[in-house]
Amino acid sequence: MIIKGNLNEAKAELLRLKDIFGRDLYIEIMDHGLTDQGLANPGLIKLGKEFDVPIVATNDCHYINADDHIAHAGDITPVPGPIGLGAGQHWVGPHQASAGRVQLPAL
């Protein structure tokens, strides 16, 4: 909604969710250098501040050890054949992940 410029629609959805979850509602943001995330994150932060919903910055993590990508790929690959990291996918270690990109103003 936000990346399409529908901030009022996003506000209405956030208020609907806040009515359902109350103080157990959080807004999750990620930054993997994707254009849509760069467009959405500032709006999500703005909504979180406006409606007193905490922001949680996370990273997209599917496995702990580099070799675990084989089992993970097998879980998400519905057809037989060679498995491995797909285009644009890569394994990063904890030091790379913690060096993250999310630049947040003081909330």
Side-chain angles (χ1 to χ4, degrees), residues 2-73:
I2 293 173
I3 61 173
K4 292 182 179 180
N6 299 330
L7 194 57
N8 287 334
E9 190 178 337
K11 286 180 181 182
E13 181 64 11
L14 181 62
L15 289 173
R16 185 184 77 80
L17 292 170
K18 191 171 181 179
D19 187 48
I20 295 168
F21 295 104
R23 296 176 50 92
D24 292 326
L25 179 65
Y26 296 84
I27 295 174
E28 177 185 23
I29 62 172
M30 293 184 191
D31 187 350
H32 297 107
L34 302 175
T35 301
D36 285 351
Q37 288 172 334
L39 295 171
N41 285 347
L44 290 169
I45 292 167
K46 179 180 177 181
L47 290 176
K49 287 181 178 181
E50 184 176 341
F51 295 101
D52 195 30
V53 177
I55 306 292
V56 179
T58 65
N59 196 348
D60 195 8
C61 179
H62 297 283
Y63 42 85
I64 297 172
N65 301 306
D67 290 341
D68 293 343
H69 79 274
I70 296 168
H72 175 70

